[in-house]
Amino acid sequence: MNRTFETLEFNHILKQLEEYAYTERSKEKIRALEPYLRETDVKVALRETTEAREMLDKFGNPPLVTLDQVEELLNTAQKEGCLTAEQLEYIGITLTAVERLKDYLSRGKHLESGLPFYEADLYPMTDIKEELAASVRNNQVQDYASKYLKDTREQIARTEEKMRTKAEAVLKANKDAVSEQFITSRNGRICIPVKKDYKFRIPGTVIDKSSTGATLFVEPVLVAKYGEELQLLKLDEENEVRRILYTLTALIAEQQELFYENIRVIEKLDFIFAKGKLSAAVCGTLPKINLERIRNGRHPLLDPTTCVPLDFEIGQKTRGIIITGPNTGGKTVAIKTVGLYCLMAQCGLHLPCGEADICMNSQILCDIGDGQNMTENLSTFSAHITNALDILRRVNRESLVVMDELGSGTDPAEGMGIAIAILEELRKSGCLYLVTTHYPEVKQYGENAEGVCNARMAFDRETLKPKYRLEIGRAGESCAFYIAKSLGMPADMLRRASQAAYGENGSPDIMDALPEQLERRSAPVIQKEKIHKNHQT
């Protein structure tokens, strides 16, 4: 199926859809998304997309948040580990997001759709959220997390103030012995910068020295006495912080099931709302599941301001459509749009069109592009035949087959015969199929075969430009002569080409469009060629 995704460019649609998702698991689900094969599954998926789109249109984007890290933190909590203050604060933030998402969904309950009622499966755990908010902030445990912690930190602050006061007193009493008139900190201890020659003047411990060795940083004895008290207080603070962190971690571990339920629901909502956001981005419409009908369809990867809408229908009396028309006229885009719409609809996505009625397909089989492969020694024709035979082996009545330039890449007469043989096998299989071709005989087949219909891409002969509009029920022309004329091919070359293709009189349409003087100038040349041929005979 991945090859079909690439051929129909559905992989680009999945990349767009992935950009609208937040959680990694939702992105993984999008990357692995494949068409649902049961109609009930498709309808459920489409209903979810419709309900998400309605919520987005009325209330804006939901306050979704990724919970990818929460699961890892829960594993740590389950193993009786200790979460850091930063990790606990992150969990508190996610619970706030859960509460906001729950409120967002609740506002949509009056819409009488199922999506808003997912709020019943979200648990903001207000008590835990408030406990975390009161205990941790700015990636650290707050003073008010416990009375003991608050008292201990106040004692630490008083002790540090006493140490600074004693140090400043020693500094003032020994102005002639110090190199600077301020106290400093070295290795977490309060010191006085003492001149080397006066080191015995101030009792204390040398903690550090300057780069020149002229200044010693001394911790006075009176200050060191408070330093020991301070270290004990900081040990008490550290133990209390650790106890609080373990307590909060245990609260998280006790509610792990609710956390996992939040993760599951948010990931599901993330996936659903991603589909809704894509629908809004492409102005999508909910398709019905019954026939194969498209009204005002636009290829989602083309500029909607310039893309010509596609009207298309197949599936009731008509099982196959043969599309003809000029090169660069939009035939390939038309069949790729139909195939892409089927993939999108069966994956539960809205379609960028005015109206769509899509039938279920067990598989979508494609042969689009020249398929040349030098490493496998495949020419264009070989690649087409290889793909066609593979399609015929796999096709069944529930398949949709999309084939471009059927029978091309070889002798026109033989290619035409192969194209008709392939079409007949597809018709016998009962599948739905869309093919493009330039062969007139294939157009004749389309007129006579039961369940097959011709279509064409409209072409404006006055402006010599394609209209990119599909017209079902009428066979088209390749319009190669008109396109060649618009690109500057001389009239005499066009006349010769027309006569070579259609006989001496050429194609009436193109011959009539050429200048009259050219017709008069060319006539003797043609007569001369006839005489020369007769003389040779």
Side-chain angles (χ1 to χ4, degrees):
M1 184 61 73
N2 288 336
R3 179 179 166 188
T4 299
F5 283 9
E6 292 178 5
T7 302
L8 297 178
E9 299 179 279
F10 185 61
N11 54 324
H12 295 300
I13 302 298
L14 293 181
K15 286 181 181 178
Q16 288 184 5
L17 183 60
E18 188 178 340
E19 291 175 359
Y20 293 115
Y22 287 96
T23 64
E24 185 57 35
R25 200 160 292 170
S26 294
K27 293 180 179 181
E28 290 175 359
K29 184 175 180 180
I30 289 169
R31 288 192 289 267
L33 187 61
E34 291 193 353
Y36 300 103
L37 299 180
R38 295 196 310 172
E39 185 175 340
T40 53
D41 294 337
V42 173
K43 289 183 175 179
V44 167
L46 287 172
R47 186 181 69 244
E48 290 175 344
T49 305
T50 301
E51 293 174 355
R53 172 71 183 277
E54 187 177 20
M55 291 284 291
L56 290 166
D57 289 344
K58 291 185 179 298
F59 306 112
N61 287 332
L64 286 163
V65 63
T66 175
L67 300 183
D68 295 337
Q69 298 180 33
V70 172
E71 196 164 354
E72 182 180 346
L73 299 181
L74 288 174
N75 290 333
T76 301
Q78 291 168 18
K79 297 174 182 177
E80 298 184 353
C82 182
L83 299 178
T84 66
E86 181 180 3
Q87 292 169 333
L88 289 167
E89 186 174 6
Y90 169 74
I91 289 179
I93 292 172
T94 61
L95 289 177
T96 299
V98 169
E99 186 175 49
R100 290 174 179 170
L101 180 58
K102 190 178 180 73
D103 292 341
Y104 172 89
L105 294 172
S106 295
R107 294 203 305 271
K109 285 187 175 180
H110 72 278
L111 300 176
E112 297 183 357
S113 61
L115 188 60
F117 289 90
Y118 274 105
E119 69 85 20
D121 298 325
L122 290 172
Y123 303 93
M125 291 174 268
T126 306
D127 52 344
I128 294 179
K129 180 174 68 70
E130 292 176 352
E131 183 72 22
L132 292 173
S135 300
V136 290
R137 188 178 302 168
N138 299 325
N139 300 332
Q140 60 184 348
V141 177
Q142 296 297 294
D143 294 348
Y144 294 95
S146 74
K147 185 177 184 304
Y148 182 76
L149 180 62
K150 182 176 181 297
D151 293 342
T152 302
R153 286 179 173 172
E154 288 176 350
Q155 291 182 53
I156 289 173
R158 288 195 294 267
T159 303
E160 289 176 338
E161 181 62 28
K162 288 178 183 179
M163 292 174 67
R164 284 191 293 271
T165 301
K166 291 295 182 183
E168 289 172 354
V170 173
L171 186 69
K172 290 178 181 179
N174 297 276
K175 290 183 178 180
D176 57 336
V178 299
S179 59
E180 300 287 349
Q181 295 298 316
F182 58 81
I183 62 175
T184 185
S185 177
R186 286 292 187 275
N187 299 326
R189 302 165 80 171
I190 294 179
C191 300
I192 296 174
V194 181
K195 297 175 183 177
K196 182 178 180 181
D197 296 339
Y198 291 87
K199 67 177 181 179
F200 298 111
R201 179 89 168 267
I202 299 175
T205 304
V206 177
I207 304 301
D208 198 1
K209 65 179 181 179
S210 65
S211 58
T212 62
T215 300
L216 302 177
F217 297 95
V218 178
E219 181 185 37
V221 173
L222 293 175
V223 174
K225 181 183 71 173
Y226 289 106
E228 294 176 359
E229 180 182 345
L230 180 64
Q231 293 303 314
L232 291 174
L233 287 170
K234 286 189 174 182
L235 284 174
D236 290 342
E237 178 196 25
E238 184 179 339
N239 290 334
E240 180 62 7
V241 166
R242 186 179 294 108
R243 184 193 68 79
I244 292 169
L245 293 176
Y246 268 108
T247 301
L248 294 174
T249 301
L251 287 176
I252 303 298
E254 288 174 2
Q255 301 297 330
Q256 58 177 300
E257 291 184 3
L258 296 184
F259 276 101
Y260 281 121
E261 180 66 8
N262 283 342
I263 292 172
R264 184 191 68 80
V265 173
I266 286 179
E267 288 172 348
K268 184 174 182 63
L269 289 172
D270 185 29
F271 174 73
I272 294 172
F273 276 107
K275 295 191 297 177
K277 292 172 186 175
L278 179 63
S279 172
V282 301
C283 299
T285 299
L286 171 66
K288 298 176 183 178
I289 303 298
N290 187 14
L291 303 173
E292 200 76 60
R293 181 171 61 232
I294 298 169
R295 293 288 180 267
N296 294 322
R298 305 179 311 278
H299 195 289
L301 301 180
L302 297 180
D303 185 351
T305 61
T306 59
C307 180
V308 177
L310 171 69
D311 289 332
F312 178 85
E313 184 169 350
I314 190 176
Q316 289 184 316
K317 295 180 180 180
T318 302
R319 305 294 293 179
I321 292 183
I322 300 171
I323 304 175
T324 52
N327 292 318
T328 71
K331 298 190 302 296
T332 303
V333 172
I335 62 175
K336 288 177 74 172
T337 300
V338 175
L340 181 59
Y341 272 29
C342 291
L343 284 177
M344 291 178 66
Q346 284 191 235
C347 286
L349 303 178
H350 283 180
L351 307 180
C353 62
E355 178 188 352
D357 197 337
I358 305 297
C359 68
M360 294 289 296
N361 299 293
S362 63
Q363 57 184 340
I364 298 177
L365 305 172
C366 298
D367 178 33
I368 298 176
D370 61 25
Q372 285 186 348
N373 190 321
M374 295 182 67
T375 60
E376 297 181 10
N377 195 28
L378 283 178
S379 67
T380 299
F381 177 70
S382 299
H384 278 306
I385 291 301
T386 300
N387 290 339
L389 292 176
D390 180 59
I391 287 172
L392 293 177
R393 280 192 295 267
R394 298 165 56 191
V395 71
N396 56 49
R397 186 171 178 80
E398 286 75 36
S399 304
L400 172 64
V401 177
V402 180
M403 304 181 75
D404 194 26
E405 300 293 351
L406 189 61
S408 63
T410 187
D411 176 86
E414 295 179 356
M416 174 273 298
I418 290 175
I420 291 178
I422 292 172
L423 286 171
E424 184 61 18
E425 290 301 312
L426 292 176
R427 190 182 70 84
K428 290 178 181 178
S429 73
C431 71
L432 297 178
Y433 56 96
L434 309 172
V435 300
T436 69
T437 185
H438 288 287
Y439 294 126
E441 294 84 356
V442 176
K443 303 173 193 176
Q444 189 70 30
Y445 170 85
E447 291 179 1
N448 298 325
E450 183 180 357
V452 182
C453 179
N454 280 322
R456 70 178 184 181
M457 302 306 298
F459 184 80
D460 190 335
R461 291 184 178 180
E462 293 183 3
T463 62
L464 299 180
K465 291 182 180 180
K467 296 181 178 180
Y468 305 106
R469 186 180 70 247
L470 180 65
E471 297 178 344
I472 295 179
R474 301 179 66 182
E477 299 176 357
S478 296
C479 299
F481 293 142
Y482 291 95
I483 294 173
K485 181 182 178 183
S486 70
L487 294 175
M489 180 175 281
D492 56 343
M493 289 181 64
L494 286 169
R495 177 174 293 281
R496 179 60 58 84
S498 178
Q499 290 168 344
Y502 293 99
E504 179 179 329
N505 295 326
S507 170
D509 292 338
I510 190 64
M511 297 293 276
D512 292 343
L514 295 177
E516 293 182 4
Q517 61 270 27
L518 176 64
E519 183 177 354
R520 291 194 297 269
R521 186 172 70 246
S522 301
V525 176
I526 299 171
Q527 184 66 27
K528 184 177 179 181
E529 288 180 353
K530 284 184 178 182
I531 295 171
H532 180 66
K533 288 181 181 179
N534 293 333
H535 178 72
Q536 286 182 330
T537 305

mmCIF file of all heavy atoms in Angstrom, residues 425-442:
data_model
loop_
_atom_site.group_PDB
_atom_site.id
_atom_site.type_symbol
_atom_site.label_atom_id
_atom_site.label_comp_id
_atom_site.label_asym_id
_atom_site.label_seq_id
_atom_site.Cartn_x
_atom_site.Cartn_y
_atom_site.Cartn_z
ATOM 1 N N GLU A 425 -9.986 -7.236 -19.545
ATOM 2 C CA GLU A 425 -9.790 -8.029 -18.325
ATOM 3 C C GLU A 425 -10.288 -7.269 -17.097
ATOM 4 O O GLU A 425 -10.891 -7.854 -16.195
ATOM 5 C CB GLU A 425 -8.307 -8.392 -18.158
ATOM 6 C CG GLU A 425 -7.794 -9.398 -19.171
ATOM 7 C CD GLU A 425 -8.563 -10.710 -19.127
ATOM 8 O OE1 GLU A 425 -8.747 -11.237 -18.019
ATOM 9 O OE2 GLU A 425 -9.011 -11.179 -20.201
ATOM 10 N N LEU A 426 -10.047 -5.992 -17.079
ATOM 11 C CA LEU A 426 -10.549 -5.185 -15.966
ATOM 12 C C LEU A 426 -12.072 -5.179 -15.964
ATOM 13 O O LEU A 426 -12.708 -5.263 -14.905
ATOM 14 C CB LEU A 426 -10.016 -3.749 -16.070
ATOM 15 C CG LEU A 426 -8.516 -3.550 -15.845
ATOM 16 C CD1 LEU A 426 -8.129 -2.095 -16.089
ATOM 17 C CD2 LEU A 426 -8.112 -3.962 -14.425
ATOM 18 N N ARG A 427 -12.660 -5.063 -17.122
ATOM 19 C CA ARG A 427 -14.129 -5.069 -17.222
ATOM 20 C C ARG A 427 -14.703 -6.386 -16.718
ATOM 21 O O ARG A 427 -15.701 -6.401 -15.997
ATOM 22 C CB ARG A 427 -14.553 -4.812 -18.668
ATOM 23 C CG ARG A 427 -16.042 -4.551 -18.850
ATOM 24 C CD ARG A 427 -16.388 -4.363 -20.315
ATOM 25 N NE ARG A 427 -16.271 -5.619 -21.053
ATOM 26 C CZ ARG A 427 -17.243 -6.553 -21.112
ATOM 27 N NH1 ARG A 427 -18.380 -6.359 -20.475
ATOM 28 N NH2 ARG A 427 -17.055 -7.660 -21.799
ATOM 29 N N LYS A 428 -14.056 -7.501 -17.087
ATOM 30 C CA LYS A 428 -14.538 -8.814 -16.644
ATOM 31 C C LYS A 428 -14.423 -8.976 -15.129
ATOM 32 O O LYS A 428 -15.220 -9.684 -14.516
ATOM 33 C CB LYS A 428 -13.733 -9.917 -17.334
ATOM 34 C CG LYS A 428 -14.015 -10.057 -18.829
ATOM 35 C CD LYS A 428 -13.133 -11.139 -19.428
ATOM 36 C CE LYS A 428 -13.368 -11.302 -20.928
ATOM 37 N NZ LYS A 428 -12.467 -12.334 -21.507
ATOM 38 N N SER A 429 -13.422 -8.335 -14.522
ATOM 39 C CA SER A 429 -13.230 -8.486 -13.068
ATOM 40 C C SER A 429 -14.335 -7.803 -12.271
ATOM 41 O O SER A 429 -14.545 -8.113 -11.102
ATOM 42 C CB SER A 429 -11.872 -7.908 -12.660
ATOM 43 O OG SER A 429 -11.895 -6.485 -12.715
ATOM 44 N N GLY A 430 -15.023 -6.838 -12.881
ATOM 45 C CA GLY A 430 -16.093 -6.119 -12.186
ATOM 46 C C GLY A 430 -15.612 -4.981 -11.325
ATOM 47 O O GLY A 430 -16.397 -4.364 -10.605
ATOM 48 N N CYS A 431 -14.306 -4.675 -11.368
ATOM 49 C CA CYS A 431 -13.760 -3.605 -10.533
ATOM 50 C C CYS A 431 -14.143 -2.237 -11.099
ATOM 51 O O CYS A 431 -14.660 -2.127 -12.210
ATOM 52 C CB CYS A 431 -12.244 -3.723 -10.448
ATOM 53 S SG CYS A 431 -11.394 -3.306 -12.005
ATOM 54 N N LEU A 432 -13.868 -1.204 -10.332
ATOM 55 C CA LEU A 432 -13.958 0.164 -10.833
ATOM 56 C C LEU A 432 -12.591 0.532 -11.388
ATOM 57 O O LEU A 432 -11.569 0.250 -10.767
ATOM 58 C CB LEU A 432 -14.339 1.134 -9.719
ATOM 59 C CG LEU A 432 -15.706 0.936 -9.054
ATOM 60 C CD1 LEU A 432 -15.885 1.954 -7.935
ATOM 61 C CD2 LEU A 432 -16.831 1.048 -10.062
ATOM 62 N N TYR A 433 -12.554 1.187 -12.561
ATOM 63 C CA TYR A 433 -11.248 1.529 -13.099
ATOM 64 C C TYR A 433 -11.301 2.826 -13.891
ATOM 65 O O TYR A 433 -12.292 3.162 -14.532
ATOM 66 C CB TYR A 433 -10.686 0.391 -13.962
ATOM 67 C CG TYR A 433 -11.555 -0.067 -15.111
ATOM 68 C CD1 TYR A 433 -11.373 0.413 -16.402
ATOM 69 C CD2 TYR A 433 -12.560 -1.015 -14.905
ATOM 70 C CE1 TYR A 433 -12.157 -0.018 -17.447
ATOM 71 C CE2 TYR A 433 -13.352 -1.460 -15.948
ATOM 72 C CZ TYR A 433 -13.153 -0.960 -17.220
ATOM 73 O OH TYR A 433 -13.936 -1.390 -18.258
ATOM 74 N N LEU A 434 -10.205 3.559 -13.797
ATOM 75 C CA LEU A 434 -10.015 4.810 -14.529
ATOM 76 C C LEU A 434 -8.714 4.689 -15.299
ATOM 77 O O LEU A 434 -7.674 4.356 -14.713
ATOM 78 C CB LEU A 434 -9.906 6.011 -13.579
ATOM 79 C CG LEU A 434 -10.984 6.176 -12.509
ATOM 80 C CD1 LEU A 434 -10.602 7.290 -11.563
ATOM 81 C CD2 LEU A 434 -12.294 6.486 -13.171
ATOM 82 N N VAL A 435 -8.746 4.959 -16.589
ATOM 83 C CA VAL A 435 -7.524 4.887 -17.385
ATOM 84 C C VAL A 435 -7.457 6.110 -18.292
ATOM 85 O O VAL A 435 -8.485 6.698 -18.655
ATOM 86 C CB VAL A 435 -7.465 3.592 -18.240
ATOM 87 C CG1 VAL A 435 -7.513 2.367 -17.370
ATOM 88 C CG2 VAL A 435 -8.591 3.568 -19.273
ATOM 89 N N THR A 436 -6.241 6.496 -18.640
ATOM 90 C CA THR A 436 -6.042 7.554 -19.625
ATOM 91 C C THR A 436 -5.326 6.962 -20.831
ATOM 92 O O THR A 436 -4.536 6.024 -20.696
ATOM 93 C CB THR A 436 -5.195 8.709 -19.054
ATOM 94 O OG1 THR A 436 -3.842 8.263 -18.860
ATOM 95 C CG2 THR A 436 -5.764 9.192 -17.742
ATOM 96 N N THR A 437 -5.611 7.495 -22.007
ATOM 97 C CA THR A 437 -5.004 6.974 -23.229
ATOM 98 C C THR A 437 -5.100 8.018 -24.328
ATOM 99 O O THR A 437 -5.846 8.999 -24.220
ATOM 100 C CB THR A 437 -5.701 5.684 -23.687
ATOM 101 O OG1 THR A 437 -5.016 5.149 -24.820
ATOM 102 C CG2 THR A 437 -7.138 5.953 -24.052
ATOM 103 N N HIS A 438 -4.339 7.791 -25.405
ATOM 104 C CA HIS A 438 -4.419 8.638 -26.597
ATOM 105 C C HIS A 438 -4.913 7.853 -27.817
ATOM 106 O O HIS A 438 -5.127 8.428 -28.871
ATOM 107 C CB HIS A 438 -3.033 9.230 -26.927
ATOM 108 C CG HIS A 438 -2.599 10.292 -25.968
ATOM 109 N ND1 HIS A 438 -3.145 11.556 -25.956
ATOM 110 C CD2 HIS A 438 -1.667 10.286 -24.981
ATOM 111 C CE1 HIS A 438 -2.569 12.286 -25.023
ATOM 112 N NE2 HIS A 438 -1.669 11.538 -24.419
ATOM 113 N N TYR A 439 -5.088 6.532 -27.678
ATOM 114 C CA TYR A 439 -5.399 5.699 -28.839
ATOM 115 C C TYR A 439 -6.852 5.876 -29.290
ATOM 116 O O TYR A 439 -7.790 5.697 -28.504
ATOM 117 C CB TYR A 439 -5.167 4.226 -28.518
ATOM 118 C CG TYR A 439 -3.716 3.892 -28.262
ATOM 119 C CD1 TYR A 439 -3.344 3.250 -27.094
ATOM 120 C CD2 TYR A 439 -2.740 4.196 -29.199
ATOM 121 C CE1 TYR A 439 -2.003 2.932 -26.848
ATOM 122 C CE2 TYR A 439 -1.419 3.879 -28.973
ATOM 123 C CZ TYR A 439 -1.047 3.254 -27.798
ATOM 124 O OH TYR A 439 0.258 2.949 -27.574
ATOM 125 N N PRO A 440 -7.089 6.190 -30.580
ATOM 126 C CA PRO A 440 -8.471 6.318 -31.082
ATOM 127 C C PRO A 440 -9.245 5.000 -30.951
ATOM 128 O O PRO A 440 -10.453 5.001 -30.678
ATOM 129 C CB PRO A 440 -8.291 6.713 -32.549
ATOM 130 C CG PRO A 440 -6.905 7.287 -32.635
ATOM 131 C CD PRO A 440 -6.099 6.546 -31.615
ATOM 132 N N GLU A 441 -8.573 3.848 -31.169
ATOM 133 C CA GLU A 441 -9.248 2.554 -31.094
ATOM 134 C C GLU A 441 -9.748 2.267 -29.682
ATOM 135 O O GLU A 441 -10.785 1.624 -29.499
ATOM 136 C CB GLU A 441 -8.300 1.440 -31.548
ATOM 137 C CG GLU A 441 -7.908 1.499 -33.014
ATOM 138 C CD GLU A 441 -6.748 2.451 -33.260
ATOM 139 O OE1 GLU A 441 -6.293 3.121 -32.290
ATOM 140 O OE2 GLU A 441 -6.275 2.532 -34.401
ATOM 141 N N VAL A 442 -9.017 2.750 -28.687
ATOM 142 C CA VAL A 442 -9.462 2.563 -27.298
ATOM 143 C C VAL A 442 -10.709 3.394 -27.036
ATOM 144 O O VAL A 442 -11.627 2.969 -26.322
ATOM 145 C CB VAL A 442 -8.331 2.925 -26.312
ATOM 146 C CG1 VAL A 442 -8.823 2.815 -24.876
ATOM 147 C CG2 VAL A 442 -7.128 2.011 -26.521
#
